[in-house]
PDB file of all heavy atoms in Angstrom:
ATOM      1  N   LEU A 287      17.260  35.769 -95.746  1.00 87.00           N
ATOM      2  CA  LEU A 287      15.857  36.128 -95.941  1.00 87.00           C
ATOM      3  C   LEU A 287      15.178  36.400 -94.602  1.00 87.00           C
ATOM      4  O   LEU A 287      14.460  37.401 -94.433  1.00 87.00           O
ATOM      5  CB  LEU A 287      15.139  34.998 -96.675  1.00 87.00           C
ATOM      6  CG  LEU A 287      13.628  35.176 -96.919  1.00 87.00           C
ATOM      7  CD1 LEU A 287      13.373  36.378 -97.800  1.00 87.00           C
ATOM      8  CD2 LEU A 287      13.048  33.913 -97.556  1.00 87.00           C
ATOM      9  N   LEU A 288      15.412  35.523 -93.613  1.00 83.00           N
ATOM     10  CA  LEU A 288      14.857  35.755 -92.284  1.00 83.00           C
ATOM     11  C   LEU A 288      15.361  37.062 -91.696  1.00 83.00           C
ATOM     12  O   LEU A 288      14.630  37.785 -91.009  1.00 83.00           O
ATOM     13  CB  LEU A 288      15.204  34.580 -91.355  1.00 83.00           C
ATOM     14  CG  LEU A 288      14.472  33.262 -91.614  1.00 83.00           C
ATOM     15  CD1 LEU A 288      15.057  32.154 -90.742  1.00 83.00           C
ATOM     16  CD2 LEU A 288      12.974  33.415 -91.363  1.00 83.00           C
ATOM     17  N   ALA A 289      16.640  37.365 -91.955  1.00 85.00           N
ATOM     18  CA  ALA A 289      17.216  38.607 -91.432  1.00 85.00           C
ATOM     19  C   ALA A 289      16.524  39.821 -92.043  1.00 85.00           C
ATOM     20  O   ALA A 289      16.227  40.793 -91.339  1.00 85.00           O
ATOM     21  CB  ALA A 289      18.718  38.648 -91.725  1.00 85.00           C
ATOM     22  N   VAL A 290      16.276  39.785 -93.343  1.00 85.00           N
ATOM     23  CA  VAL A 290      15.629  40.912 -94.020  1.00 85.00           C
ATOM     24  C   VAL A 290      14.209  41.101 -93.476  1.00 85.00           C
ATOM     25  O   VAL A 290      13.788  42.223 -93.162  1.00 85.00           O
ATOM     26  CB  VAL A 290      15.598  40.711 -95.535  1.00 85.00           C
ATOM     27  CG1 VAL A 290      14.725  41.766 -96.212  1.00 85.00           C
ATOM     28  CG2 VAL A 290      16.998  40.777 -96.110  1.00 85.00           C
ATOM     29  N   LEU A 291      13.463  40.011 -93.369  1.00 81.00           N
ATOM     30  CA  LEU A 291      12.080  40.099 -92.913  1.00 81.00           C
ATOM     31  C   LEU A 291      12.008  40.611 -91.467  1.00 81.00           C
ATOM     32  O   LEU A 291      11.178  41.459 -91.145  1.00 81.00           O
ATOM     33  CB  LEU A 291      11.397  38.730 -93.021  1.00 81.00           C
ATOM     34  CG  LEU A 291      11.222  38.190 -94.441  1.00 81.00           C
ATOM     35  CD1 LEU A 291      10.567  36.811 -94.408  1.00 81.00           C
ATOM     36  CD2 LEU A 291      10.391  39.150 -95.296  1.00 81.00           C
ATOM     37  N   ALA A 292      12.891  40.086 -90.606  1.00 78.00           N
ATOM     38  CA  ALA A 292      12.894  40.554 -89.215  1.00 78.00           C
ATOM     39  C   ALA A 292      13.228  42.036 -89.146  1.00 78.00           C
ATOM     40  O   ALA A 292      12.607  42.799 -88.399  1.00 78.00           O
ATOM     41  CB  ALA A 292      13.912  39.743 -88.402  1.00 78.00           C
ATOM     42  N   THR A 293      14.207  42.441 -89.952  1.00 80.00           N
ATOM     43  CA  THR A 293      14.627  43.848 -89.938  1.00 80.00           C
ATOM     44  C   THR A 293      13.529  44.770 -90.432  1.00 80.00           C
ATOM     45  O   THR A 293      13.247  45.807 -89.820  1.00 80.00           O
ATOM     46  CB  THR A 293      15.884  44.027 -90.812  1.00 80.00           C
ATOM     47  OG1 THR A 293      16.918  43.193 -90.297  1.00 80.00           O
ATOM     48  CG2 THR A 293      16.336  45.463 -90.802  1.00 80.00           C
ATOM     49  N   ILE A 294      12.889  44.393 -91.532  1.00 78.00           N
ATOM     50  CA  ILE A 294      11.862  45.276 -92.099  1.00 78.00           C
ATOM     51  C   ILE A 294      10.653  45.358 -91.177  1.00 78.00           C
ATOM     52  O   ILE A 294      10.029  46.406 -91.044  1.00 78.00           O
ATOM     53  CB  ILE A 294      11.459  44.819 -93.514  1.00 78.00           C
ATOM     54  CG1 ILE A 294      10.901  45.988 -94.320  1.00 78.00           C
ATOM     55  CG2 ILE A 294      10.479  43.677 -93.479  1.00 78.00           C
ATOM     56  CD1 ILE A 294      11.923  46.935 -94.828  1.00 78.00           C
ATOM     57  N   PHE A 295      10.306  44.244 -90.509  1.00 74.00           N
ATOM     58  CA  PHE A 295       9.204  44.272 -89.558  1.00 74.00           C
ATOM     59  C   PHE A 295       9.533  45.220 -88.403  1.00 74.00           C
ATOM     60  O   PHE A 295       8.707  46.049 -88.000  1.00 74.00           O
ATOM     61  CB  PHE A 295       8.938  42.874 -88.993  1.00 74.00           C
ATOM     62  CG  PHE A 295       8.149  41.978 -89.914  1.00 74.00           C
ATOM     63  CD1 PHE A 295       8.220  40.597 -89.776  1.00 74.00           C
ATOM     64  CD2 PHE A 295       7.363  42.503 -90.916  1.00 74.00           C
ATOM     65  CE1 PHE A 295       7.493  39.762 -90.611  1.00 74.00           C
ATOM     66  CE2 PHE A 295       6.648  41.677 -91.765  1.00 74.00           C
ATOM     67  CZ  PHE A 295       6.707  40.308 -91.608  1.00 74.00           C
ATOM     68  N   GLY A 296      10.721  45.077 -87.850  1.00 72.00           N
ATOM     69  CA  GLY A 296      11.125  45.921 -86.741  1.00 72.00           C
ATOM     70  C   GLY A 296      11.147  47.387 -87.097  1.00 72.00           C
ATOM     71  O   GLY A 296      10.671  48.241 -86.355  1.00 72.00           O
ATOM     72  N   LEU A 297      11.698  47.693 -88.265  1.00 75.00           N
ATOM     73  CA  LEU A 297      11.814  49.085 -88.696  1.00 75.00           C
ATOM     74  C   LEU A 297      10.450  49.717 -88.957  1.00 75.00           C
ATOM     75  O   LEU A 297      10.184  50.834 -88.522  1.00 75.00           O
ATOM     76  CB  LEU A 297      12.671  49.174 -89.966  1.00 75.00           C
ATOM     77  CG  LEU A 297      14.177  49.155 -89.743  1.00 75.00           C
ATOM     78  CD1 LEU A 297      14.895  49.023 -91.085  1.00 75.00           C
ATOM     79  CD2 LEU A 297      14.640  50.414 -89.042  1.00 75.00           C
ATOM     80  N   ALA A 298       9.587  48.994 -89.673  1.00 73.00           N
ATOM     81  CA  ALA A 298       8.286  49.558 -90.011  1.00 73.00           C
ATOM     82  C   ALA A 298       7.481  49.836 -88.750  1.00 73.00           C
ATOM     83  O   ALA A 298       6.802  50.870 -88.639  1.00 73.00           O
ATOM     84  CB  ALA A 298       7.521  48.608 -90.929  1.00 73.00           C
ATOM     85  N   THR A 299       7.549  48.937 -87.773  1.00 71.00           N
ATOM     86  CA  THR A 299       6.846  49.173 -86.520  1.00 71.00           C
ATOM     87  C   THR A 299       7.413  50.376 -85.792  1.00 71.00           C
ATOM     88  O   THR A 299       6.685  51.192 -85.240  1.00 71.00           O
ATOM     89  CB  THR A 299       6.923  47.919 -85.630  1.00 71.00           C
ATOM     90  OG1 THR A 299       6.383  46.812 -86.341  1.00 71.00           O
ATOM     91  CG2 THR A 299       6.156  48.110 -84.343  1.00 71.00           C
ATOM     92  N   SER A 300       8.736  50.479 -85.783  1.00 74.00           N
ATOM     93  CA  SER A 300       9.382  51.607 -85.125  1.00 74.00           C
ATOM     94  C   SER A 300       8.999  52.918 -85.801  1.00 74.00           C
ATOM     95  O   SER A 300       8.730  53.916 -85.126  1.00 74.00           O
ATOM     96  CB  SER A 300      10.904  51.430 -85.167  1.00 74.00           C
ATOM     97  OG  SER A 300      11.543  52.519 -84.551  1.00 74.00           O
ATOM     98  N   LEU A 301       8.957  52.917 -87.124  1.00 76.00           N
ATOM     99  CA  LEU A 301       8.572  54.133 -87.839  1.00 76.00           C
ATOM    100  C   LEU A 301       7.130  54.505 -87.515  1.00 76.00           C
ATOM    101  O   LEU A 301       6.799  55.689 -87.338  1.00 76.00           O
ATOM    102  CB  LEU A 301       8.722  53.925 -89.347  1.00 76.00           C
ATOM    103  CG  LEU A 301      10.126  53.633 -89.876  1.00 76.00           C
ATOM    104  CD1 LEU A 301      10.138  53.600 -91.399  1.00 76.00           C
ATOM    105  CD2 LEU A 301      11.141  54.643 -89.365  1.00 76.00           C
ATOM    106  N   GLY A 302       6.259  53.506 -87.410  1.00 76.00           N
ATOM    107  CA  GLY A 302       4.870  53.786 -87.074  1.00 76.00           C
ATOM    108  C   GLY A 302       4.739  54.366 -85.667  1.00 76.00           C
ATOM    109  O   GLY A 302       4.016  55.339 -85.450  1.00 76.00           O
ATOM    110  N   LEU A 303       5.454  53.776 -84.708  1.00 74.00           N
ATOM    111  CA  LEU A 303       5.406  54.282 -83.341  1.00 74.00           C
ATOM    112  C   LEU A 303       5.998  55.685 -83.262  1.00 74.00           C
ATOM    113  O   LEU A 303       5.482  56.556 -82.547  1.00 74.00           O
ATOM    114  CB  LEU A 303       6.165  53.333 -82.399  1.00 74.00           C
ATOM    115  CG  LEU A 303       5.526  51.965 -82.167  1.00 74.00           C
ATOM    116  CD1 LEU A 303       6.465  51.091 -81.336  1.00 74.00           C
ATOM    117  CD2 LEU A 303       4.172  52.101 -81.486  1.00 74.00           C
ATOM    118  N   GLY A 304       7.111  55.900 -83.984  1.00 78.00           N
ATOM    119  CA  GLY A 304       7.721  57.224 -83.997  1.00 78.00           C
ATOM    120  C   GLY A 304       6.782  58.269 -84.578  1.00 78.00           C
ATOM    121  O   GLY A 304       6.695  59.398 -84.065  1.00 78.00           O
ATOM    122  N   ALA A 305       6.081  57.891 -85.650  1.00 82.00           N
ATOM    123  CA  ALA A 305       5.130  58.826 -86.258  1.00 82.00           C
ATOM    124  C   ALA A 305       3.995  59.138 -85.305  1.00 82.00           C
ATOM    125  O   ALA A 305       3.537  60.286 -85.201  1.00 82.00           O
ATOM    126  CB  ALA A 305       4.582  58.229 -87.550  1.00 82.00           C
ATOM    127  N   GLN A 306       3.519  58.126 -84.574  1.00 78.00           N
ATOM    128  CA  GLN A 306       2.447  58.351 -83.617  1.00 78.00           C
ATOM    129  C   GLN A 306       2.890  59.272 -82.480  1.00 78.00           C
ATOM    130  O   GLN A 306       2.148  60.151 -82.062  1.00 78.00           O
ATOM    131  CB  GLN A 306       1.972  57.007 -83.045  1.00 78.00           C
ATOM    132  CG  GLN A 306       1.175  56.169 -84.029  1.00 78.00           C
ATOM    133  CD  GLN A 306       0.687  54.865 -83.428  1.00 78.00           C
ATOM    134  OE1 GLN A 306       1.261  54.358 -82.465  1.00 78.00           O
ATOM    135  NE2 GLN A 306      -0.367  54.307 -83.996  1.00 78.00           N
ATOM    136  N   GLN A 307       4.124  59.075 -82.000  1.00 80.00           N
ATOM    137  CA  GLN A 307       4.595  59.923 -80.910  1.00 80.00           C
ATOM    138  C   GLN A 307       4.811  61.357 -81.381  1.00 80.00           C
ATOM    139  O   GLN A 307       4.449  62.310 -80.690  1.00 80.00           O
ATOM    140  CB  GLN A 307       5.883  59.389 -80.302  1.00 80.00           C
ATOM    141  CG  GLN A 307       6.321  60.171 -79.058  1.00 80.00           C
ATOM    142  CD  GLN A 307       7.554  59.593 -78.388  1.00 80.00           C
ATOM    143  OE1 GLN A 307       8.387  58.997 -79.043  1.00 80.00           O
ATOM    144  NE2 GLN A 307       7.647  59.767 -77.088  1.00 80.00           N
TER     145      GLN A 307
END
Side-chain angles (χ1 to χ4, degrees):
L287 178 62
L288 288 173
V290 171
L291 295 178
T293 301
I294 204 76
F295 281 158
L297 278 171
T299 303
S300 179
L301 298 186
L303 292 174
Q306 288 181 336
Q307 186 176 29

